[in-house]
Amino acid sequence: MISQLVEKMSANPARLLGVPGGELSVGAPADIVVLDPDREVTVDASRFVSRGHNTPFDGKTYYGAVCATIVGGRVIDHE
């Protein structure tokens, strides 16, 4: 299941857009999201970074939280 998630959310989009990414290998961009699949998260649209805050998921609780985001090998966000 996790391998399908990685494929559908990173490898396939990179391939379709013709951009590097979607794999972890020597020389590839180190763009990684560290996910805790067991942590509960409640969607709070008021905390969205984007200007769009309209979502049908506001207030709903799901499992799977991002713990860290690494772009180009640099940690840009972590909890």
Side-chain angles (χ1 to χ4, degrees), residues 15-79:
R15 182 179 46 77
L16 289 170
L17 293 171
V19 298
E23 64 178 342
L24 291 177
S25 62
V26 175
D31 298 342
I32 304 164
V33 173
V34 179
L35 180 72
D36 178 353
D38 298 320
R39 193 163 83 187
E40 273 190 6
V41 177
T42 300
V43 177
D44 181 356
S46 69
R47 297 188 63 200
F48 285 3
V49 176
S50 69
R51 293 174 64 189
H53 295 268
N54 185 19
T55 176
F57 306 107
D58 192 34
K60 296 192 176 170
T61 301
Y62 298 94
Y63 284 95
V66 173
C67 301
T69 303
I70 303 167
V71 177
R74 292 182 48 229
V75 177
I76 61 165
D77 187 35
H78 66 86
E79 290 187 13

